[in-house]
């Protein structure tokens, strides 16, 4: 079992930036592929960024050019750098992981991660 703990959420004004972090512990071999998934009230969950076991990356269209996913394998930490934030980015952001050795594109489309964190809230005001 792997434990995922997110941090870095908060409240910012439109145009601002936040950096989310996710630290994995336990069975970290289950984090070959990882991603950030968000869910806003009344909306479906969506994968905003993913990083595959081959370090390929993928982004949901609305965040391309604004969000950057990266990870430090030595520190078992996943990051999401979010710039030029918009009110529509407001959501609970979840760190997710899977032991599958797959490209980011698979997870971007399927959202089929087997491990999930508790989430960190991001609120963007206009």
């Amino acid at each position: 079992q792997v434990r995922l703990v997110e941090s870095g959420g908060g409240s910012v004004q439109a145009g601002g930036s936040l950096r989310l972090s996710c630290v994995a512990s336990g069975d970290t071999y289950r984090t070959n592929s990882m991603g950030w998934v968000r869910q806003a009230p009344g909306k479906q969950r969506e994968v905003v960024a993913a990083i595959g076991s081959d370090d390929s990356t993928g982004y949901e269209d609305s965040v391309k050019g604004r969000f950057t996913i990266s990870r430090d394998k030595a520190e078992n930490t996943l990051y999401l750098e979010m710039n030029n934030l918009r009110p529509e980015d407001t959501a609970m952001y979840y760190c997710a992981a899977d032991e599958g050795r797959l490209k980011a594109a698979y997870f971007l489309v399927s959202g089929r991660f087997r491990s999930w964190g508790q989430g960190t809230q991001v609120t963007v005001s206009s």
Side-chain angles (χ1 to χ4, degrees), residues 8-93:
S11 297
V12 297
Q13 289 192 325
S17 299
L18 285 172
R19 188 193 198 200
L20 306 184
S21 299
C22 170
V23 178
S25 60
D27 295 337
T28 55
Y29 70 88
R30 298 183 185 276
T31 62
N32 289 325
S33 303
M34 300 188 76
W36 291 96
V37 183
R38 70 184 179 188
Q39 187 165 24
K43 293 188 177 181
Q44 285 191 329
R45 188 174 62 184
E46 62 178 355
V47 181
V48 295
I51 186 164
S53 59
D54 61 350
D55 291 331
S56 60
T57 58
Y59 299 92
E60 191 269 330
D61 284 346
S62 71
V63 308
K64 285 180 180 177
R66 300 189 297 122
F67 291 12
T68 303
I69 188 171
S70 63
R71 63 180 165 186
D72 183 334
K73 291 182 179 180
E75 297 294 328
N76 293 313
T77 303
L78 181 74
Y79 301 100
L80 185 67
E81 186 76 35
M82 305 187 294
N83 297 314
N84 193 19
L85 283 160
R86 304 168 180 170
E88 53 264 40
D89 295 318
T90 295
M92 184 70 79
Y93 283 71

Side-chain angles (χ1 to χ4, degrees), residues 104-116:
Y106 168 82
F107 295 99
L108 202 64
V109 172
S110 71
R112 290 183 178 178
F113 295 101
R114 278 177 272 198
S115 301
W116 295 80

